[in-house]
Amino acid sequence: MKALISVDMEGISGIVHSSETNPERYDYQRGRELMTAEANAVIAGVLDAEPTADVLVADAHGTFRNLLPEQLDRRARLVRGKPRALNMLAGLDAETDAALFVGYHVRAGEGPGVLAHTMNGEILDVRMTVNAPSKDVRTAGRSLGEIGLNAAMAGHLGVPVVLLSGDDAACAEAADLIPEAVTVPVKEALGMAAAVTLHPEEARDRLRRAAADAVSRRTEIPPLALTGPLDVEVDLASPHTIDLATLVPGVSRTAGARTVAFTAPDYGTAYRLILLLAQLATIRPA
């Protein structure tokens, strides 16, 4: 059995402020330790259920160099650094049996949600519509954040997302998309930088039990698959990013001042184009 654990930082228990998630701020080292400890709890849960599992852990926050390798459970392998294929899901492939999302956050524009955003904060909204008959219409025409975008990419490869942890808003977003998945709310959001949070040790205990349960029930949880061509609209914060985006073949500016649009033949293509738009958003005018 192969499992991929994708670990973000904003949804970790105890973390409520960007000073705890930003490498340039004073509280970042503490945030790294909390993040690594929750990753270890989920690794342990997976291996409780499947002692011989091949477990990959994808560092999925910011620089993708946050988890402390020397403190990570030695039974798992760590994927770190960027750029890399599949971004937050690096290491995922069609042979993966289950994906687990740890420390995730609600999408941009939703709330209250702790440190809510999509990708790097320059993407304001992503709307996706299947423009061909599909059995799965849960995401048709709706806004997607990192939870939905990554879950659908896993589904494109036939992999179910069996567990998600984060604040209560992130768990609600996941439950709406994947009602069969196990969710673990480790804090209750009060705002962008405030929450009622579980003690980190209590959060880890819950995560370990939930991960074991989720992996044991993986065959009961369907992948979130979007089939057929997809119409995609992305709202971007910077006019400069929109100018760059329209240089990409197939991407056009729409009537909306902040919106670009494209049609993708399949979800994998759509996902990669969205990642490219997020990368273009980091380029500043010369």
Side-chain angles (χ1 to χ4, degrees):
M1 183 260 178
K2 180 179 178 181
L4 178 81
I5 304 171
S6 174
V7 190
D8 206 350
M9 204 170 191
E10 289 87 356
I12 298 295
S13 176
I15 287 180
V16 298
H17 194 274
S18 60
S19 68
E20 299 160 321
T21 64
N22 186 332
E24 298 179 359
R25 302 295 295 276
Y26 71 97
D27 246 354
Y28 172 66
Q29 184 62 28
R30 174 175 169 274
R32 299 179 77 187
E33 292 172 355
L34 291 170
M35 180 186 184
T36 305
E38 285 203 4
N40 281 338
V42 176
I43 295 167
V46 171
L47 292 171
D48 287 345
E50 294 282 349
T52 62
D54 177 17
V55 181
L56 273 72
V57 178
D59 190 322
H61 173 73
T63 62
F64 296 168
R65 290 182 284 109
N66 309 278
L67 291 167
L68 299 166
E70 68 277 14
Q71 293 184 18
L72 198 69
D73 191 318
R74 63 187 300 168
R75 297 172 293 176
R77 293 179 293 146
L78 174 62
V79 186
R80 70 193 306 258
K82 63 169 47 173
R84 65 197 194 194
L86 296 189
N87 205 46
M88 296 174 74
L89 300 179
L92 188 80
D93 58 29
E95 302 304 313
T96 306
D97 297 288
L100 301 91
F101 293 173
V102 179
Y104 270 54
H105 52 81
V106 75
R107 68 179 181 84
E110 286 295 295
V114 175
L115 299 171
H117 67 279
T118 298
M119 301 292 186
N120 52 19
E122 293 295 321
I123 291 181
L124 302 176
D125 195 14
V126 178
R127 295 177 296 279
M128 193 170 299
T129 303
V130 176
N131 62 19
S134 173
K135 293 181 180 179
D136 191 336
V137 295
R138 282 175 288 177
T139 63
R142 73 163 62 187
S143 296
L144 297 177
E146 292 171 31
I147 294 170
L149 292 169
N150 289 331
M153 185 62 225
H156 180 67
L157 295 175
V159 181
V161 176
V162 300
L163 175 138
L164 180 135
S165 72
D167 66 16
D168 55 331
C171 289
E173 185 174 318
D176 188 40
L177 290 165
I178 321 159
E180 302 87 355
V182 176
T183 57
V184 185
V186 298
K187 53 194 172 189
E188 177 187 351
L190 300 178
M192 186 68 173
V196 178
T197 180
L198 294 178
H199 188 284
E201 291 181 2
E202 175 64 22
R204 293 166 205 159
D205 287 346
R206 295 187 188 188
L207 283 166
R208 182 170 182 168
R209 292 193 298 270
D213 176 48
V215 166
S216 297
R217 297 196 294 107
R218 63 187 181 275
T219 59
E220 304 169 17
I221 302 171
L224 177 61
L226 297 179
T227 57
L230 297 157
D231 293 329
V232 183
E233 290 186 332
V234 182
D235 293 345
L236 298 164
S238 167
H240 179 65
T241 306
I242 295 173
D243 292 340
L244 291 174
T246 56
L247 298 177
V248 178
V251 177
S252 60
R253 191 188 307 260
T254 73
R258 290 179 167 177
T259 306
V260 296
F262 61 87
T263 297
D266 55 56
Y267 186 80
T269 303
Y271 183 80
R272 287 173 173 83
L273 265 172
I274 292 166
L275 295 183
L276 176 59
L277 294 180
Q279 188 62 36
L280 291 177
T282 67
I283 300 174
R284 295 292 178 258

